[in-house]
Each structure stands twice: as C-alpha cells, then as structure tokens.
Amino acid sequence: MPEFPAKTMTETVGPRPGELPPLEVRGKASRIAVASLIGTTIEYYDFAVYGTASALVLGPAFFPSGNATVSSLAAFLTFAAAFLSRPLGVALFGTIGDRLGRRRALVASLLLMGLATVGVGLLPTYETAGLLAPVLLVTLRLLQGVSMGGEWGGAVLLAAEHAPPGRRALYAAIPQTGPSLGFLLSSAVILPTLNLAGRDGFADWAWRVPFLLSAVLVMIGLWVRTTVEESPVFAESAARTNRPPVSRFPLGTLVMRYPGRLLLGTGAAIGGSAVYYLTIVYSLSYGPKALGIPQNTMLTAASVGAAAGIAITLPVARLADRVGRRPVMLTGAVGCVVWAVPMYASLSSRNAFVITGAYTVGLMLLALMFSPVAAFLSELFPARLRYTGASAAFILANTLGGGFAPLVATWLNSQWSSPLVLGFYTGALCLLSLLCLMALPETREAEFDS
C-alpha cells in the first residue's frame, strides 16, 4: 500500500441526502466538540496539576535526598514515567476506539485519569511511609500516562468526525485548547492555594487540594461524555459489510502499513511538545530555583502566554480550513525555531514584563503549529486506524519532545548554567518538526470517511 495516495477526494460542500440541514449539523457538531473539550480540559488539568506539583513540592516530599537538584530530577523522572506508559494507553484505548467506538474509549480514559489523580492526593509522603510512598506515586503516575495515551486522539476524532464539511480543522481544534485550559484551570486552583496556605503550608499539606478537587471535575466530565453520540464516521465504517474487519491489534497494523506517516507525523509535532512542556512545566521550577525569579512571576507568565495561545487557536484553525494545514503549521514551526532562543533568554532579565511578553509570543507561535495538528494527524490515516494512528503520532511526539524535556533541560543546565541552552534545545526540535512538515503532504482535501 503506498504511503500517500496520489489522488484524494475533496470534501462535499453541502449535506448529503437524508442528512441534517447545515445549521443543525453545526449545532450538533458544536455540542460534541464542547463535550470533547470539557473532558480534555479535565484530563489535562490532572496532568498539569502533577507537572506543577512536581516542580514545586513532590521532590522533597517523596524523594528527599538533601540535594535539591537530585530531588528535582527524581520528581521530573516520575513526570516522564507517565509518558513512558502512554504508548500502552495508545495500544489499549486505540484498540477500543477503533474496534468498539470513540465514546467508550473516552469514558474509560477519563475514569482512569480521575482515579489516579485523586489517588496521588491521598498518598502518604516518604516521611510517613518510606519507600512505599514513591513506589505508589510512580504507579499512579504510570496509570495517568496510560489514560493520556487514549485521551487526545479520541477527543479530537469525536469532534473532527462530527464536523461539517470544510470545518474539520476548526472543530478538531476546539478540544485542542484543552491542554492550555487545563493548565490555566490548574493555575487558578494552585495560585490561590499557594497564597492562602503559604509556601510552607503548601509543601506540607495544601498541595493535595488540587489533586482531590479532580474528583468533582471527573464526575462532571463523565456525565458529559456519556451523553454524547458516537462518531458518525466510525458508525458508518463499522456498518459497511464490504469492508475488511478491523485488526485485532490496530497498532501493529498501523506500524506495518503506515510507518512513514507515523514517523513523520510524530516529528511534525515534536517541537511544539518541547515548547509547551518546557514553558509550563520545567521553567516553573528552573526560574525560581536557578535564577531567583518569584514563583508567582513564572506562573503568571506561563498563564498569560497560554491564554494568548487559546485566544488565537480557533481563528488559526479556521485559517487552516481555508488555506491548508501545512502553510499554517510551517509558519508556526519557522517562528518557533527563530523565537526559541530569545524566549528563554528572557529569563536572564528576571523582569516579569519581559518574561511574560516573550512567553506570550512563543505560545502564540506554538498555537500556529498545534491548532491544525489535530485535523492534520487525523487526516493521515483511514477511519479504521485513525484513533490509533493519530494518537500514536501525537503521543510519541509528546513523549520524546515533551515528557523527557524537563529531564534533558535539568541535565543541560547542570552542565551549562544558562537559559540559552533551553532555547538551543527547543529550537533544534522545532527545526526537526519543520523538516518533517516539509516532507508531508497537504491533507485538507483528504477523504475522511474511509
């Protein structure tokens, strides 16, 4: 089977016979997309809470060593551990999503994430339970990773496969704002908790509050997700008796049939993953500890930048529906390559306004890369491998570019004590994304119901 078919079918410009009128189609698609967004926001809230807590308190609480760098490395190692278990989530939830339906996979992934996150909030620390404490922390963190392996692909597919013709990137981008919204929601909980309890109180007990609040959010998310309809593309594909049955192991079929798309799709998203995780996870620890920047300054800069990225996500996606995915993503990749060094160099100024401005520009450039990526990766694969294919490419990029970024950055800064190394490291990964995007075809006109 060729990697990229020479001929693709264009999208239809209106509803087919028997379909809902355009206004009803858009209304239904919007409800599905918002439902996907709510679930994704909750999942990434859980993930962001752990990332922020690992930067602030989890090292000393679960990995006391007497050495701040060693404790931070241990905490970030547990952060990376969840990325190692994400491929298992891709295999598990990809199989459920491609064989049994997108909605079932999404409900299961959200429930698993909620149980793991609340579990972290109830854990005893090393002082109380000894070695059992970090073992339990790593176990729950691995379960979070399994959940995240199935979340992203299902959420964007449910939105994209319900989208009206010509608006696939727009609707797929709605749940794509979930990671930044989840981070903002976590900051909205952590900042007041930190201010009310104080640094010592937060490190002692109040760090548990954001984790335990996840129980309420997950209940809301489960209610929302159980009320949405299954993807019409999946239902139509499953109902066609003249199609071969779905593979019992879609991930294996994907690797055998579409290795080039999988590798290039992963590379296309790897640079943006590094920008995101170095900005909203690693720098929250690096700025205060290495450069003496106030914690609130770093949280505020990351939050303002994330909000700016959210603000342009949907307009960028609409542009990608009009001009294509590649032109928009290539522009973002070039911008991230150029801006990576100045963005992290701003930390040397220790000036709140300079840092916030630099982060805002950087995360807006990231939005150019990540807003169309949900539709782009989905369009690279046929319907019966789409959940697994889109999830695998994005999750591998997150694992390689994002999950290990704090660890790599911590090591780099132990060798060269300058924030410039963060810029060079990030810029190199964004350059890799640029090259992979140049090797991939435009997918805006791709057939989506096969």
Side-chain angles (χ1 to χ4, degrees), residues 260-282:
R261 298 189 199 188
L262 177 59
L263 289 175
L264 290 173
T266 298
I270 200 170
S273 297
V275 173
Y276 181 81
Y277 284 103
L278 285 178
T279 302
I280 71 163
V281 175
Y282 177 74

Side-chain angles (χ1 to χ4, degrees), residues 251-268:
L251 184 58
T253 304
L254 175 76
V255 171
M256 288 189 294
R257 293 187 180 180
Y258 302 100
R261 298 189 199 188
L262 177 59
L263 289 175
L264 290 173
T266 298

Side-chain angles (χ1 to χ4, degrees), residues 302-388:
S303 297
V304 171
I310 292 171
I312 69 167
T313 292
L314 297 188
V316 167
R318 191 68 189 107
L319 179 64
D321 275 327
R322 291 172 178 166
V323 304
R325 302 8 172 169
R326 288 179 73 253
V328 177
M329 295 176 69
L330 285 169
T331 301
V334 171
C336 285
V337 170
V338 172
W339 190 247
V341 171
M343 178 168 66
Y344 293 111
S346 71
L347 296 174
S348 297
S349 73
R350 298 174 174 80
N351 183 289
F353 292 104
V354 173
I355 297 170
T356 300
Y359 273 32
T360 299
V361 173
L363 290 174
M364 290 177 75
L365 290 170
L366 172 63
L368 294 178
M369 293 181 67
F370 261 29
S371 179
V373 78
F376 184 67
L377 294 179
S378 300
E379 290 160 349
L380 288 175
F381 305 99
R384 292 199 149 193
L385 291 173
R386 188 169 292 139
Y387 198 123
T388 302

